[in-house]
Amino acid sequence: MASNSPTPPDSTRRSERSRRAIYDAALALVVEIGYPKTTIEGIAARAGVGKQTIYRWWGSKADVLLEAFLDLSEQAARAVPQEPEEREEREEREEREEPEEREGRVGEEGQGIPDTGDLAADLRLVLRATVDELRDPRFEAPSRALAAEGVVNEELGRRFVAKLLEPQLQLYVDRLRSAQEAGQVRPDVDPRIALELFVSPLAQRWLQYTGPITYAYTDTLVDYALNGLSPR
């Protein structure tokens, strides 16, 4: 005889909903009131959870924000059409993952830099996308908060670099190596150093407000990096 007892609630899905609410709350508060005024208590209240729920998963508000921002960045990197089966499989896997597993996977599923055979055009395209992201308050506020906190919190800073920045920089390395193989870049050039010619100036201008962040600016960085400053 079939049982008519109600199906017990799925604790995994409930935990994932709470985690998502905490991510959203942390990111929203940093945008609205800034990182210094954001507190664990405020995040908990905004997310509709107890603060002990947050402390069970994270040790500090910086840890919460880092994981929330890594998740946001991963979602942006994956913002491409997917087959329903692939999307369902990914969502089910994420519900089963522990925070450390999800954090360690950020950057692995990101889209590579396009390789159309035109290095300059490909770099301009991806840097223009970076401009859009840096000017988006959803990304800008937590990015600045984590960059500032990483200066005084070495462990957090190392995690931010290892989990987010290095995977992104590796995409540039891979594209430059492809250009080397195609004879478009000198074989003696170190791609890891070369990428800093256009990535580092953009980061410095953004962090220190030394000038506007525009498509024209990043297009010029690509031109200077690839063609140098000598007369042609």
Side-chain angles (χ1 to χ4, degrees):
M1 181 176 178
S3 173
N4 293 323
S5 60
T7 302
D10 188 330
S11 60
T12 301
R13 290 184 180 275
R14 185 169 63 247
S15 294
E16 181 61 19
R17 286 195 297 270
S18 296
R19 191 185 309 279
R20 288 288 166 190
I22 291 166
Y23 286 167
D24 293 343
L27 293 169
L29 287 172
V30 167
V31 172
E32 293 171 12
I33 64 176
Y35 180 77
K37 294 182 179 179
T38 297
T39 63
I40 292 291
E41 290 75 12
I43 295 172
R46 181 72 169 254
V49 301
K51 66 179 182 180
Q52 289 307 315
T53 297
I54 296 180
Y55 282 120
R56 186 164 63 245
W57 289 332
W58 299 281
S60 68
K61 69 175 182 179
D63 292 330
V64 179
L65 183 59
L66 175 60
E67 189 177 314
F69 184 67
L70 291 173
D71 180 78
L72 178 66
S73 299
E74 183 183 3
Q75 291 184 53
R78 295 181 324 201
V80 294
Q82 289 183 305
E83 294 296 326
E85 296 82 2
E86 295 177 343
R87 183 168 58 250
E88 183 177 347
E89 180 182 352
R90 190 196 71 234
E91 290 173 351
E92 290 178 351
R93 182 195 65 209
E94 290 178 348
E95 289 176 353
R96 297 191 302 268
E97 288 179 330
E98 294 297 324
E100 297 81 3
E101 294 175 310
R102 181 180 293 114
E103 182 180 308
R105 188 167 44 74
V106 171
E108 294 178 3
E109 299 183 3
Q111 302 299 304
I113 294 176
D115 189 347
T116 65
D118 185 335
L119 177 61
D122 294 343
L123 292 176
R124 290 189 191 104
L125 179 66
V126 73
L127 286 172
R128 285 183 173 207
T130 302
V131 167
D132 290 339
E133 184 173 298
L134 293 177
R135 295 170 64 179
D136 183 340
R138 295 179 306 152
F139 288 88
E140 182 179 17
S143 291
R144 290 190 182 280
L146 289 166
E149 185 68 12
V151 173
V152 296
N153 184 335
E154 182 178 354
E155 191 273 336
L156 178 73
R158 289 183 181 279
R159 286 171 54 203
F160 183 63
V161 170
K163 301 300 183 182
L164 183 67
L165 298 185
E166 281 300 336
Q168 292 179 346
L169 294 178
Q170 186 59 43
L171 299 179
Y172 286 97
V173 170
D174 294 342
R175 182 63 186 90
L176 290 171
R177 283 180 176 156
S178 176
Q180 284 179 313
E181 294 170 359
Q184 299 171 340
V185 173
R186 294 199 326 262
D188 62 310
V189 167
D190 183 335
R192 185 59 181 78
I193 295 176
L195 69 86
E196 295 181 5
L197 296 174
F198 39 85
V199 172
S200 296
L202 174 60
Q204 185 268 342
R205 176 176 282 216
W206 175 75
L207 281 170
Q208 299 184 355
Y209 300 101
T210 58
I213 303 298
T214 64
Y215 292 166
Y217 173 66
T218 53
D219 287 354
T220 300
L221 288 178
V222 172
D223 181 56
Y224 286 178
L226 297 184
N227 299 305
L229 303 178
S230 301
R232 286 182 259 170

